[in-house]
Amino acid sequence: MTETGNATDRQGALVVLDNVNKYYGNLHVLRNINLGIERGEVVVVIGPSGGGKSTLCRTVNRLESIDSGTITFEGRPLPAEGKGLARLRSEVGMVFQSFNLFAHKTILENVTLGPIKVRGIPPKDAEKRGLELLERVGIAAQAHKHPAQLSGGQQQRAAIARALAMNPKMILFDEPTSALDPEMVQEVLDVMIELAGEGMTMMVVTHEMGFARRAANRVVFMAEGQIVEENTPEEFFTNARTDRAKDFLSKILTH
Amino acid sequence: MDELIKYAPDLLLSFLKNVQIAAVCAVLSLILGTILVSMRVSPTPVLRAAGTVYVNVVRNTPLTLILAFSALGLSDTLGLSFSQTPSTNGFWLVVLGLSAYTATFVCEALRSGINTVPLGQAEAARALGFTFVQSLRMIILPQAFRVVVAPLGSVMIAMMKNTTVAIAAGYLAESAFTMKDIFDDTGVSIPIFLGLIVAFMAVTLPIGFFTGWLAKRLAVT
């Protein structure tokens, strides 16, 4: 049983995916995806590997194109290319599994480059704000180091600061803690939980069930390219409606 | 040894022409090579195709033919002229041909460098709203250059030595031709050979050492 709701219910949503399909050759990686994300909402996408979670996340800022269906942001379809697409991306932050900090730039430069070059903010102002953000994620002391000199957890917090520096309307998190050593997962999750608490709109692909319980407004369970179940975190973890989700949960919660 | 001392001023002056050609070509070929590689990795199919065709045609054409074309085709037939003075005109025709040729090697070295930059770097740049040109200029190329400093050094060394075929463009003032000219007058002289080799090495060895040192220093840890 799939609970999706139709597009007209989600007119006011920040992001609406309507009947989205995507193929890699013969592989149908996204199947009839319908999903709306409200302003201020934290949607956690979970599910088995290869189920299309990351692909779904990456379609929202068009790092992945789609083959059919529509995606709208603030009621307008995603621009296909050019300046319009660049502008959209500047409004949708993204945090990657492997951090992807610019390796030849310092942490502070990583955080200020977007505001300066894309937004045209004066370097002095961008630096001031950049340092505030680094302070906020707890790595101000590392501002003038290069990414390779930081731990994974510090790098990922810098990446979150980099996304925040653009004052995004939404942030996409694509498995933000999957590449981290276990002892560094929490420091990143803490920053994300704080952001969620402040009302940031977030789409989070993760295997961290604890984060989903604590910070999510809604859990989207994906498998084989489909949204199998949408539910509140409480309901999903204690009383999942679908067998596919129950099966998945039994495998990860009992180990 | 006497011949070397006698002709040293002539040789040195003509060798300076080789150095001048190489210096100008280094700048031009780095600029043109960067433009070519930007075309080859661009999202626009027409630019990509144009870059690919240019590189494959020019890189696989013997330099002597390119220089001959520069002089006989562009200059004599099509009327391209840089100067009324034949030697100045010849100088720039050599620079044009050699830069056009060397740029293809710069382009391919840079392209191999770009391939070493993780895809995530470009994705992060795009996700921030950078345009293709911004992401290439600020994120991709600076990292690609660091990786290929040493190979670019080899390209520059080859280019320095390639200045000795300038005669193919009708340019007679450089050192290899001067040496041959001297041999025509006085017979072959081993010391003159060795003297010229030393002169070239005095330029090319430091290029190798410098780019090797720079590569180590710039390596992204």
Side-chain angles (χ1 to χ4, degrees):
Chain A
M1 190 182 128
T2 307
E3 194 214 50
T4 47
N6 62 55
T8 49
D9 294 343
R10 298 183 255 103
Q11 287 288 314
L14 185 63
V15 181
V16 178
L17 292 92
D18 192 25
N19 218 8
V20 168
N21 282 280
K22 180 176 176 69
Y23 300 83
Y24 286 135
N26 288 327
L27 195 64
H28 199 168
V29 287
L30 293 180
R31 297 169 185 252
N32 300 317
I33 301 290
N34 290 290
L35 180 69
I37 299 172
E38 303 289 331
R39 284 187 174 75
E41 194 177 24
V42 177
V43 173
V44 166
V45 183
I46 63 174
S49 296
K53 307 183 300 291
S54 285
T55 307
L56 177 70
C57 187
R58 290 161 57 90
T59 60
V60 175
N61 68 351
R62 220 169 190 284
L63 282 183
E64 300 280 353
S65 59
I66 58 175
D67 294 309
S68 71
T70 56
I71 303 177
T72 58
F73 186 79
E74 295 189 309
R76 288 187 303 274
L78 297 192
E81 54 187 29
K83 298 269 183 217
L85 181 58
R87 192 173 313 116
L88 167 98
R89 285 175 173 157
S90 73
E91 292 178 345
V92 180
M94 182 144 198
V95 175
F96 298 87
Q97 178 175 351
S98 44
F99 328 134
N100 295 350
L101 291 173
F102 303 132
H104 61 309
K105 301 277 184 193
T106 66
I107 297 303
L108 184 59
E109 286 168 341
N110 265 277
V111 176
T112 56
L113 201 61
I116 293 170
K117 300 293 180 184
V118 178
R119 291 259 195 268
I121 291 171
K124 282 265 178 273
D125 298 352
E127 274 181 27
K128 185 163 168 285
R129 165 117 171 99
L131 283 170
E132 282 168 17
L133 286 167
L134 291 177
E135 185 76 45
R136 181 170 155 193
V137 298
I139 51 168
Q142 325 293 331
H144 299 287
K145 291 185 182 166
H146 280 80
Q149 295 169 283
L150 271 61
S151 73
Q154 289 173 326
Q155 287 190 56
Q156 195 60 299
R157 284 185 281 155
I160 294 173
R162 177 173 70 177
L164 285 173
M166 299 295 286
N167 288 322
K169 293 175 175 163
M170 171 184 190
I171 302 184
L172 306 168
F173 291 85
D174 185 5
E175 304 208 23
T177 57
S178 300
L180 295 176
D181 291 336
E183 75 271 24
M184 293 168 187
V185 169
Q186 199 54 47
E187 67 190 49
V188 172
L189 291 179
D190 285 344
V191 172
M192 291 168 61
I193 288 167
E194 200 186 311
L195 270 181
E198 290 165 10
M200 176 60 75
T201 310
M202 295 161 63
M203 180 170 181
V204 185
V205 175
T206 187
H207 296 290
E208 294 299 325
M209 300 304 148
F211 173 80
R213 278 177 194 272
R214 280 189 61 187
N217 300 108
R218 191 154 42 118
V219 170
V220 171
F221 176 72
M222 270 190 93
E224 284 102 36
Q226 281 177 303
I227 295 182
V228 179
E229 180 167 341
E230 271 186 69
N231 217 330
T232 61
E234 187 55 33
E235 275 288 301
F236 182 78
F237 288 112
T238 56
N239 192 19
R241 281 194 298 270
T242 56
D243 291 338
R244 190 74 184 77
K246 281 179 191 155
D247 181 52
F248 175 75
L249 288 170
S250 72
K251 281 177 186 149
I252 57 160
L253 295 179
T254 55
H255 66 70
Chain B
M1 200 63 202
D2 293 345
E3 308 89 61
L4 179 59
I5 293 163
K6 182 179 169 197
Y7 289 106
D10 281 357
L11 282 168
L12 196 63
L13 277 178
S14 57
F15 178 71
L16 283 178
K17 294 293 176 193
N18 294 76
V19 175
Q20 280 173 14
I21 293 170
V24 181
C25 277
V27 175
L28 290 182
S29 63
L30 283 171
I31 294 171
L32 184 58
T34 307
I35 294 171
L36 281 173
V37 81
S38 307
M39 291 169 71
R40 290 208 73 175
V41 299
S42 88
T44 315
V46 178
L47 287 179
R48 258 200 327 266
T52 306
V53 168
Y54 178 91
V55 167
N56 282 317
V57 169
V58 175
R59 187 166 66 136
N60 292 296
T61 305
L63 178 58
T64 47
L65 289 189
I66 290 174
L67 292 179
F69 177 76
S70 184
L72 303 174
L74 290 180
S75 190
D76 293 356
T77 310
L78 298 174
L80 174 72
S81 177
F82 291 98
S83 164
Q84 294 302 317
T85 319
S87 70
T88 311
N89 193 39
F91 176 90
W92 286 104
L93 288 172
V94 172
V95 164
L96 178 71
L98 186 54
S99 299
Y101 176 79
T102 308
T104 63
F105 293 92
V106 170
C107 168
E108 292 306 276
L110 275 175
R111 204 159 64 95
S112 72
I114 287 176
N115 288 336
T116 69
V117 179
L119 186 61
Q121 296 284 305
E123 285 192 342
R126 283 155 70 200
L128 279 174
F130 288 169
T131 62
F132 169 75
V133 174
Q134 282 179 321
S135 114
L136 196 64
R137 190 167 57 82
M138 294 185 293
I139 308 302
I140 308 301
L141 280 178
Q143 295 187 58
F145 262 109
R146 282 156 202 251
V147 180
V148 297
V149 166
L152 279 180
S154 297
V155 171
M156 292 302 134
I157 287 171
M159 185 269 290
M160 173 66 200
K161 295 184 297 180
N162 281 342
T163 58
T164 54
V165 298
I167 187 173
Y171 183 71
L172 308 180
E174 61 82 33
S175 58
F177 183 79
T178 304
M179 180 184 78
K180 195 176 156 294
D181 218 23
I182 294 169
F183 290 173
D184 285 346
D185 286 349
T186 65
V188 173
S189 152
I190 299 293
I192 286 182
F193 257 127
L194 295 177
L196 202 51
I197 291 171
V198 168
F200 269 93
M201 286 178 67
V203 174
T204 52
L205 276 179
I207 295 177
F209 290 138
F210 174 70
T211 50
W213 169 81
L214 199 62
K216 272 203 188 118
R217 238 201 99 186
L218 291 178
V220 178
T221 47

